[in-house]
Amino acid sequence: MELRQLEYFVAVAEEANFTRAAQRVHVAQPAVSAQIARLERELGQPLLDRSRREVRLTAAGAAVLPYARAALDAVRHAKTAVDELIQLVRGSVTVGTVTAHDFDMAGLLAQFHAAHPLVDITLAADESDALLDCLHSGRFDAAIVSVGTELPAGLTAEVVTDQRIVAAVAADHPWHRRRAVALRDLVDHPVIALPRGAGIRHQFDEACRAAGVAVRVAFEASTPNALADLAERGLGVAVLPESVAVNRTALHPLPITPELRGRLVFAWRAHGPMSPAARVLIEMACRQLRTGVPVAVQER
């Protein structure tokens, strides 16, 4: 029994016609008839009823068909497994990230490289808007990005951090004794914020728009720590993640009302093709985020 005999048999069974089946498997019709006849002789039973205009399965053919399909599926899966192994051994993966986060990206990539040393790894840093565009377009396989309470459509993600966005002022600022501020309170004060395109800046701008207030962003800096540096020197009110503000003794963090939250997520496309290398890296990242422990991998 040969695989091509099973392939031809399944084609005739599904097409109910020898000519259409031959076209489907790209061989001459007599070759299809000959191989199925050989299969029938080997099994000792006719599989197809050829006495009618439309070819039909015999009882024996109906019994054999599921097994023929399963055998062909197994061969396809075996080929796919080998193809994926080849791609994993010599594939490529591209990851993006915002500039400031608490995830051990270097450790993840080092472990992945130890297990799959021939896979090319590209790591790029950018603002969240640009990273999201790269994810949607397929230029990046995965990225750490800043998002709001809702994950952008078409993506799946694991949360890296989820915390409040606060206003932070220097210890000698007039607000140093306040316990919270409203967005409207920022109108008369210079604001220090991340540049447009950053996730936190986008959420802050949208919140101001929704509240009907127009604030003056006097200074922009590319990282939350740089914002904190400027605020410590009394240059204005920094809008930044709470974890950054509370770790600075020279800053006084103030929750913003209504509350703003910033989420960093490790995201990838929910649908569409994904290389084996990217899939393995994403699985490693998810396990690390869920357990908080770097993933141990075996070298290959």
Side-chain angles (χ1 to χ4, degrees), residues 239-271:
V239 177
L240 73 180
E242 185 174 31
S243 62
V244 176
V246 298
N247 288 324
R248 298 285 190 116
T249 58
L251 283 182
H252 176 57
L254 296 163
I256 298 172
T257 56
E259 184 182 71
L260 297 180
R261 297 198 70 84
R263 287 200 304 159
L264 282 178
V265 298
F266 186 91
W268 63 94
R269 289 186 306 283
H271 307 287

Side-chain angles (χ1 to χ4, degrees), residues 187-201:
V187 173
D188 298 324
H189 293 264
V191 170
I192 306 168
L194 294 171
R196 294 187 186 278
I200 290 177
R201 174 63 181 275

